[in-house]
Amino acid sequence: MSTSNELESLKQFPKPPKETAISGAEPTMVLGNFVKLEEIGSKYIYVYLIEITNSDSLAETQQVQEPDLRQQIFASAQKAKPLSKLVFDGREYAYAAKPLHKKLNWTDGESRFAASLKIDETDCQFNVTIKAHRTYDVKMLKKYSWGASDIPQAYVQGAVFALDSIIRSCSFPSMQVVSGRKLFPKYKVTTNAGFDAWWEYRMSVRMARREIYLTISARAVPVITAQTVSEMAQVFFKKRQWTDKPQQQGKRDVRWAKFEPCVRGLQVMVDGNQMMLNGLTARTASELQIDGKSLAEYYQQFAGIEQMDATWPCAITGRDNRPVPLCLCKLEPQVLSGISGWQRDKLMDLSVLNPEMRQQLLNVAAQELSDACNSDPNLLAFGIRTEPTLASIPAQVLPRPQMRMGLKDNSEQAAVGDNGEWKMKHVQQSCSGLKSWAVVVFASKQQCSESQTRAFVLQLIKTMTQLQIPVEATQPRIYHASLQKPIAKTLQTITQSFKDGHVQLLICVLPSHNQAIYGEIKRVAWVQLGVQTQCVLMQRVQGGHRPKLLEHLALKINTKLGGFTADPLLPDQPQPPTIIVSADVCHTTEARVSVASIVWSIDLQAQRFAGSIVQHPEHQEIIENMDAIIRHALRSFYQHTGKKPVRILYFRDGVSDSQLEYVKQVELGAIIRGCALIEPLFRPQITVIIARKRHFARFMLPKANCPLGTVVMQMAHPQILSFYLIAHHAQRGVAKPVYFMVLHDEVFSTSLDQLYQLTYRLCFAYPIVTRVVTMPASLYYAHRLSGKGRMQINSPFDELSRS
C-alpha cells in the first residue's frame, strides 16, 4: 500500500470497546464531579446571532463589545415580549426553545429592536439586531453518546456550547452576584490575607458513553466583605495575631507593607463618590498636614470623626492621589483582583480540598441545580432536569507492579505501598562514578560558610554511598562566587581549573528562588560547557539535612550521570522491541516562539532516553520536521540496542479536541514517512496516544481518594478509545486523573488490557523519585526538555532582574 493510500485509510479514530472489563483488575464504584442530565424536554435548540450597536452616530465605535454591557443592553431589549424567551450568553448568541420567526417582524432575514440604558447619568440608545443562525436537534446528541458515527464533531460541539450557555444562565437560591460573577457564600472561609474565600461553580456539559452529564467544579474566589478599609485592616491584623504597635515616625510598619497589596486597586466610596484606592501613605494620619493641622485633627474637627487611629496611614485615592483616613473608605462586596503572590498561594491552598469537603461542596451545587430546574424560567423553557446527587461511576483498579532494584543477576523486589511509594535500598544501576565535581556557592562566606557546605556535601556522599552510587572524589572543591559577575565567566573559570577541563557535575547553591539565575546556569552549563548541574537552595545547605531531600538529590545526580533507579517488573512473556516516543510543545511569551521537544527511548527497557528540540512560530502546536526527527530516533535506537523496533508508541501531550484530527493527520503521517526514510518497506506498528491534564474531571471515594491504578471509561469520549487513569497518590486534595485518548492503534488492537497495563507501568519509571507519578515518565522528560529549550531562546538571563 502506498503512503498516500495508507494515510487515507487512517482517518478514523479507534472506537471504544464494547467489553470494558480489564483482565486482572478489580471492579469498583467511584464518585465523580458529575451530575446526570436526566432530561432535555425541548426537541430543538434555536440559535440566533445578536448584534448590538450604538445609536449615536458620533460614538467612537458603533459595535458594543464588552460582555457585561451587552448583557445589560439585551436585558433592556428583552422587555419586548417576543425576546423574553431568549437566553443570551453575553457575547454573540441567544437561544430559544421555540422558533421566533412567527413572533418577530423580519426584514431581510433580521429583526431589530431599540434599547435604552442609563450610563453615568446619561440615557444611551442602542440597536439590537437578531438574525437566525442555526438549529440543533437534541436527539442527535443522544445518538452521538450511544456511538452514532455519522454526526459531525462540529455539530456536537456547537450543541454542547449552546447547552452550556443555557445552564450557566440559571440562578440558584443561595447565589449572589459579586462583581458580575455568580458566587456562593455558603462554606466561605475568612483568611488572614485580607479577603474571604467564596466559592464559584463552573458547569459544563460532558458527552459520555450512553449518557450526557454535567461537570461541576468548585474553586475559591477572593471576596472583600468588610464595611470599611479600616475594618478590613483590623481583621487582617487580628488573624495574623499582630499587636497594635505604633508606626515609627516617617517609616512604614511591616504590617502595612503586607496589607497594602490587599487593598491596592479596590473600588471605595468616599463622600458618596466612587474612587480607586491606589495605595497607602508612607506617613501616619498624625504626621500628614492639611491647612496647618494634622490630617487626623482636620477630619476629627470638620468631619466629626471621633474614633480614628492617628498612628495608621491613610488611603491614597482617586486620580489626584488624595489622602483619606481608612475609616472613611467604605467598601462594597467585590472580587479582589490583582492579588499578590502570597495571596495567590493562600487562595490556592484553600482550593485544594480533601475528598470529603469537595463532595460536600459539589453535593450542595447538585442539589441547588436540581431545585433550579423546577424554578428557573430558562431551564423550565428547555425542559432541562438533572439528578440531585453526584453520579456514581463504575471503575476498575489495576494491580500494582513490583519494583525491581539492581541488575537482573542480583536484583531485589520492592512492594509499592498505598501511598504510591516504595522503599529504596539501592539504585538499579548506578552511574559510572562521581570522579570530578565541584560545589559553587553563589553567596559570600558570611552568608554560607565553607563548614556548612562541607557538612552538607558529606551527608550527600553518605546518602549516595548507601544507595550504592559510587563516589570516588569525596573532597570536592568548594567555590564562592558573586552574582554581580557574569555567570558564564564564573562557570567557565571553574571548569577550566580541572584537568583537561573535564567536570562531571557542578552543584550550584543559590540564595533564593530566581528563574533568571537558574535559567542562566542551566543555559551556560548545558550549551556552552556540556556539564551537568544540580541546583540547591542555600537554606537547604544551611538547615537540617533531611534524609528525603538528600535521597532525592542523590537520585537526580545518579540519573543525570547515566544511572537509573528502578523499573516495574514486566510480564514474563518476551516483549517485541518497542521504541517509546513522547512529545510536548511549550509556548513562550518572551521570545514569541514555541518550543517543541521530542524524546525517545534508546534501550529495550525504556529507561534511557535521548531527545531533540525544534523551534516553531509563536502559538504553533503542530510539530514540524517530525519525519526527520523520527528517522534520527530510529537510528539512535538501533545503535544502542542493535535491533529495529517492531512497535512505536507515540505519547503526545497537550492537544485540544479541535486539533485531534489535524495532529493525527500531520504527526502520524510524519512518523510513517520517517520510517520510510530508514527503509522504503520498513513499517512498524504504531499507536498514537494523547495525554491530557487540563480538564475538570475528578473521581473519588466517599471519604478518600481513589486507589492507585484506578481506570474510568464511562466518562470518556463516546466515539474514541479513551480512558481516565489515576496512577498516583495525591499528597493533598483530590487526585487529578490524566485523560488518555488513542488516536491511532495498531499495537493493542487485539488486547486492550496491555494498553492500560503498560500505560500504568510507565508511570513507575520516573527515576528521580521513589513513587509513582501521574503520567508516563517519557512525557515528563519531554516537558523538562521543552523547558530547557525555552531557556536557550529567551533573553540572556544576566540581563533579567535578579531581585
Side-chain angles (χ1 to χ4, degrees):
M1 182 184 296
S2 65
T3 303
S4 58
N5 293 334
E6 187 176 20
L7 290 176
E8 187 67 25
S9 66
L10 300 179
K11 288 185 177 180
Q12 297 297 324
F13 294 127
K15 295 293 183 182
K18 295 181 180 179
E19 179 58 46
T20 58
I22 303 174
S23 177
E26 179 183 350
T28 186
M29 299 295 292
V30 298
L31 292 174
N33 60 332
F34 307 93
V35 292
K36 185 178 177 181
L37 208 55
E38 285 188 312
E39 182 184 2
I40 306 176
S42 176
K43 293 183 179 180
Y44 300 97
I45 300 175
Y46 298 91
V47 186
Y48 296 89
L49 188 65
I50 305 298
E51 293 183 1
I52 300 178
T53 56
N54 199 319
S55 298
D56 187 0
S57 59
L58 299 178
E60 293 182 4
T61 176
Q62 294 297 312
Q63 287 286 344
V64 178
Q65 303 292 343
E66 298 82 359
D68 291 341
L69 182 58
R70 288 173 63 87
Q71 192 72 261
Q72 295 175 31
I73 296 171
F74 190 82
S76 175
Q78 278 187 305
K79 296 176 182 178
K81 191 173 181 180
L83 299 185
S84 61
K85 299 297 184 181
L86 280 175
V87 179
F88 183 46
D89 63 5
R91 295 177 177 85
E92 295 183 84
Y93 302 108
Y95 309 94
K98 295 181 180 180
L100 301 179
H101 61 276
K102 295 182 179 180
K103 299 180 181 181
L104 300 179
N105 296 322
W106 298 90
T107 304
D108 297 330
E110 61 184 35
S111 182
R112 295 186 178 184
F113 290 83
S116 61
L117 188 67
K118 182 172 287 188
I119 303 176
D120 296 334
E121 304 301 327
T122 303
D123 290 328
C124 301
Q125 302 299 319
F126 301 91
N127 294 323
V128 179
T129 304
I130 302 176
K131 300 178 182 179
H133 182 61
R134 70 176 308 166
T135 303
Y136 293 109
D137 189 345
V138 175
K139 288 184 180 179
M140 302 294 278
L141 289 179
K142 298 177 181 178
K143 290 181 179 180
Y144 185 83
S145 67
W146 277 85
S149 58
D150 57 341
I151 304 174
Q153 183 71 22
Y155 185 94
V156 175
Q157 290 177 347
V160 167
F161 181 82
L163 277 176
D164 279 344
S165 302
I166 294 167
I167 293 174
R168 291 173 186 173
S169 69
C170 72
S171 299
F172 294 163
S174 65
M175 183 183 72
Q176 294 185 27
V177 179
V178 181
S179 301
R181 298 171 69 171
K182 299 178 179 180
L183 304 178
F184 295 81
K186 195 170 184 178
Y187 302 117
K188 69 178 181 181
V189 180
T190 301
T191 72
N192 62 357
F195 58 79
D196 290 348
W198 290 22
W199 298 99
E200 182 178 40
Y201 294 109
R202 183 187 185 278
M203 302 185 182
S204 57
V205 175
R206 174 69 184 177
M207 300 297 298
R209 293 174 185 172
R210 300 187 178 184
E211 298 289 352
I212 303 177
Y213 288 89
L214 196 66
T215 306
I216 305 178
S217 58
R219 68 171 180 173
V221 176
V223 178
I224 302 297
T225 56
Q227 299 295 319
T228 64
V229 177
S230 176
E231 178 185 329
M232 181 179 170
Q234 291 173 1
V235 175
F236 181 82
F237 297 149
K238 184 178 180 181
K239 280 286 182 180
R240 288 179 167 264
Q241 299 179 350
W242 282 340
T243 58
D244 285 326
K245 296 180 180 179
Q247 290 187 183
Q248 298 178 13
Q249 186 173 4
K251 295 182 180 180
R252 176 172 295 180
D253 194 318
V254 67
R255 300 179 304 170
W256 301 107
K258 282 284 188 180
F259 179 68
E260 185 175 14
C262 302
V263 296
R264 187 185 293 117
L266 290 181
Q267 295 294 328
V268 297
M269 297 294 294
V270 180
D271 298 332
N273 299 317
Q274 189 175 31
M275 300 181 181
M276 177 176 287
L277 199 156
N278 303 317
L280 300 178
T281 59
R283 295 181 177 271
T284 65
S286 61
E287 296 168 348
L288 294 169
Q289 298 291 316
I290 180 171
D291 293 340
K293 299 180 180 180
S294 71
L295 190 139
E297 294 174 348
Y298 177 86
Y299 275 96
Q300 287 173 352
Q301 180 178 351
F302 295 102
I305 302 176
E306 297 181 359
Q307 297 180 350
M308 183 176 71
D309 196 332
T311 64
W312 283 18
C314 295
I316 303 173
T317 61
R319 295 180 180 177
D320 56 352
N321 291 329
R322 169 188 168 194
V324 178
L326 301 184
C327 57
L328 290 184
C329 297
K330 297 181 180 180
L331 293 168
E332 294 182 354
Q334 57 189 291
V335 175
L336 182 60
S337 59
I339 58 179
S340 59
W342 65 275
Q343 290 177 303
R344 189 177 299 108
D345 293 341
K346 184 68 177 179
L347 195 65
M348 292 296 293
D349 289 341
L350 292 171
S351 298
V352 179
L353 302 172
N354 61 53
E356 187 174 3
M357 184 60 185
R358 185 169 290 275
Q359 288 173 37
Q360 194 173 4
L361 279 174
L362 296 179
N363 275 318
V364 169
Q367 183 62 56
E368 293 213 5
L369 177 61
S370 180
D371 295 341
C373 292
N374 299 319
S375 59
D376 186 82
N378 293 336
L379 299 184
L380 287 172
F382 287 88
I384 295 176
R385 302 181 64 84
T386 62
E387 288 187 349
T389 57
L390 298 179
S392 184
I393 304 163
Q396 301 174 75
V397 181
L398 299 173
R400 300 174 200 165
Q402 292 284 319
M403 300 304 297
R404 181 178 64 194
M405 293 176 291
L407 298 177
K408 292 183 179 180
D409 298 335
N410 186 24
S411 63
E412 298 180 17
Q413 295 183 16
V416 180
D418 292 338
N419 60 354
E421 297 183 4
W422 59 89
K423 188 175 181 180
M424 175 59 65
K425 296 181 180 179
H426 55 81
V427 297
Q428 181 172 348
Q429 180 169 325
S430 64
C431 57
S432 58
L434 196 52
K435 303 174 184 178
S436 59
W437 58 304
V439 180
V440 186
V441 182
F442 286 94
S444 65
K445 293 184 178 181
Q446 289 74 24
Q447 293 175 304
C448 185
S449 66
E450 186 167 341
S451 60
Q452 290 176 323
T453 308
R454 185 69 65 186
F456 172 78
V457 170
L458 291 176
Q459 290 296 323
L460 179 59
I461 293 175
K462 181 179 177 181
T463 303
M464 295 176 69
T465 304
Q466 291 173 349
L467 295 175
Q468 298 184 8
I469 303 173
V471 181
E472 297 183 18
T474 57
Q475 295 291 328
R477 305 178 190 179
I478 297 177
Y479 299 88
H480 286 266
S482 173
L483 287 172
Q484 302 304 318
K485 297 181 180 179
I487 292 176
K489 186 176 181 180
T490 299
L491 297 183
Q492 188 175 12
T493 302
I494 292 173
T495 55
Q496 289 176 351
S497 66
F498 283 77
K499 185 179 179 180
D500 300 329
H502 175 67
V503 185
Q504 290 176 288
L505 176 71
L506 291 177
I507 294 182
C508 300
V509 181
L510 306 182
S512 63
H513 286 286
N514 190 305
Q515 188 65 25
I517 298 173
Y518 175 83
E520 178 67 359
I521 290 173
K522 293 295 183 181
R523 184 185 71 83
V524 172
W526 192 40
V527 177
Q528 298 183 9
L529 306 177
V531 177
Q532 293 290 349
T533 58
Q534 178 59 55
C535 294
V536 186
L537 281 176
M538 186 170 62
Q539 65 185 37
R540 308 296 188 193
V541 175
Q542 295 171 328
H545 306 142
R546 294 183 296 132
K548 269 290 185 185
L549 171 65
L550 294 170
E551 181 182 288
H552 183 57
L553 289 174
L555 294 179
K556 293 184 75 172
I557 292 171
N558 182 62
T559 303
K560 290 178 179 181
L561 298 182
F564 52 89
T565 306
D567 68 328
L569 288 172
L570 297 174
D572 294 333
Q573 64 267 25
Q575 300 293 321
T578 303
I579 182 173
I580 295 179
V581 182
S582 293
D584 188 20
V585 178
C586 171
H587 305 288
T588 69
T589 56
E590 302 89 348
R592 296 188 177 276
V593 297
S594 297
V595 178
S597 62
I598 303 94
V599 301
W600 56 88
S601 58
I602 55 175
D603 63 355
L604 298 177
Q605 293 77 32
Q607 291 179 324
R608 290 193 173 92
F609 284 78
S612 180
I613 297 174
V614 182
Q615 182 175 319
H616 285 162
E618 187 179 13
H619 301 312
Q620 178 174 317
E621 185 66 34
I622 306 301
I623 300 176
E624 296 179 344
N625 301 323
M626 191 71 172
D627 49 356
I629 297 173
I630 291 297
R631 177 181 60 181
H632 178 59
L634 294 173
R635 288 177 175 175
S636 177
F637 182 86
Y638 181 79
Q639 289 172 357
H640 286 83
T641 65
K643 297 182 180 180
K644 295 180 181 179
V646 177
R647 307 187 303 186
I648 298 178
L649 302 185
Y650 178 49
F651 288 93
R652 180 68 156 84
D653 191 10
V655 178
S656 63
D657 283 343
S658 60
Q659 295 174 317
L660 292 179
E661 293 185 6
Y662 191 43
V663 166
K664 178 178 179 179
Q665 176 186 354
V666 175
E667 296 184 10
L668 175 60
I671 293 174
I672 295 174
R673 291 194 301 274
C675 295
L677 292 175
I678 298 293
E679 291 179 1
L681 300 180
F682 177 61
R683 179 61 168 85
Q685 295 176 325
I686 303 173
T687 291
V688 179
I689 303 173
I690 302 296
R692 188 178 298 171
K693 303 181 295 293
R694 295 186 179 180
H695 58 78
F696 294 97
R698 299 292 186 275
F699 305 99
M700 63 208 96
L701 299 179
K703 291 187 178 181
N705 270 306
C706 294
L708 309 178
T710 300
V711 176
V712 180
M713 303 183 198
Q714 173 68 30
M715 302 308 303
H717 199 289
Q719 298 281 345
I720 302 176
L721 173 59
S722 52
F723 59 95
Y724 289 95
L725 172 63
I726 303 175
H728 68 295
H729 171 77
Q731 305 291 334
R732 299 171 56 212
V734 178
K736 183 176 182 179
V738 177
Y739 184 40
F740 294 95
M741 304 181 71
V742 183
L743 300 191
H744 181 73
D745 181 35
E746 298 172 354
V747 177
F748 305 106
S749 56
T750 58
S751 178
L752 290 179
D753 293 350
Q754 293 183 13
L755 168 64
Y756 310 126
Q757 294 283 1
L758 180 60
T759 304
Y760 182 42
R761 289 175 184 273
L762 290 175
C763 299
F764 287 79
Y766 196 41
I768 66 173
V769 292
T770 55
R771 66 176 183 271
V772 60
V773 292
T774 59
M775 57 186 179
S778 57
L779 286 170
Y780 279 95
Y781 290 138
H783 180 71
R784 291 174 69 94
L785 184 60
S786 64
K788 281 190 174 182
R790 180 177 179 176
M791 292 175 188
Q792 315 314 315
I793 61 174
N794 284 345
S795 302
F797 281 87
D798 276 335
E799 298 178 7
L800 301 180
S801 171
R802 299 177 184 274
S803 59

